[in-house]
Amino acid sequence: MKVKELHDIQEMLSHFDVIQFLYPNITIEKYELHLREMIPHNYAQLAVFEGATCMGLTGFWTGTKLWSGKYIEIDNFIVHPDHREKGVGKAMTDYLNQKAKELGCTMIVLDAFTGNFKAHRFYYNQGYSPKGFHFVKMIDESGLA
């Protein structure tokens, strides 16, 4: 297993098939548009490979907030269904834990949908715990992936 950071948009686009496991209705055009908006704001991706096969992928951001200082936010954590239960997710969280320490972050944050109990169990097992609620007020649902 090889873990690699992706910073180049073409490299990110080349793994569009993995993104579609989480967002089956997103188009490559919309994905590219979003990436072009996100990358200038400290967005990157982390991928886990076995040879040329991308087994898992997650986006991550670095930022700073008044209450927490510097942090990493995990975004769109995906393990290819054919490669689950192989340690791919743990490899990604372990890598981001080390990166957060190297960057002097105080924490790593993420959102998980309320009904995604398998993800909750995974994150609890990796040392994450809920700190609050992420409230959302929908303005235009047609823009969702």
Side-chain angles (χ1 to χ4, degrees):
M1 240 185 310
K2 178 183 174 189
V3 180
K4 180 182 178 188
E5 286 188 31
L6 311 178
H7 296 275
D8 177 76
I9 192 165
Q10 292 308 317
E11 197 168 26
M12 291 178 190
L13 288 169
S14 71
H15 304 296
F16 176 67
D17 61 314
V18 178
I19 291 294
Q20 288 184 298
F21 286 109
L22 190 59
Y23 301 112
N25 296 323
I26 195 168
T27 64
I28 190 126
E29 294 82 12
K30 188 172 189 177
Y31 181 51
E32 181 175 359
L33 177 68
H34 289 329
L35 288 175
R36 290 194 184 282
E37 292 176 1
M38 295 159 52
I39 291 170
H41 299 283
N42 297 326
Y43 179 81
Q45 290 181 345
L46 184 69
V48 177
F49 294 94
E50 186 173 71
T53 302
C54 182
M55 300 188 303
L57 181 70
T58 187
F60 67 96
W61 312 70
T62 56
T64 304
K65 294 185 180 187
L66 291 176
W67 77 274
S68 66
K70 194 170 188 177
Y71 66 94
I72 286 179
E73 180 176 354
I74 294 173
D75 195 21
N76 304 308
F77 196 94
I78 308 161
V79 175
H80 188 295
D82 294 344
H83 299 285
R84 293 185 180 152
E85 308 292 328
K86 294 181 178 179
V88 174
K90 183 169 178 11
M92 290 191 291
T93 57
D94 286 353
Y95 183 96
L96 291 171
N97 287 345
Q98 186 58 42
K99 184 163 188 79
K101 290 175 185 175
E102 290 169 6
L103 293 174
C105 294
T106 61
M107 64 182 68
I108 301 171
V109 301
L110 59 88
D111 288 330
F113 290 116
T114 55
N116 192 346
F117 301 114
K118 286 180 80 172
H120 300 174
R121 184 174 51 248
F122 172 77
Y123 294 126
Y124 276 119
N125 288 337
Q126 300 305 309
Y128 294 80
S129 61
K131 182 75 170 163
F133 294 99
H134 187 99
F135 288 90
V136 176
K137 180 178 179 179
M138 295 305 301
I139 304 298
D140 180 7
E141 289 189 27
S142 69
L144 299 178

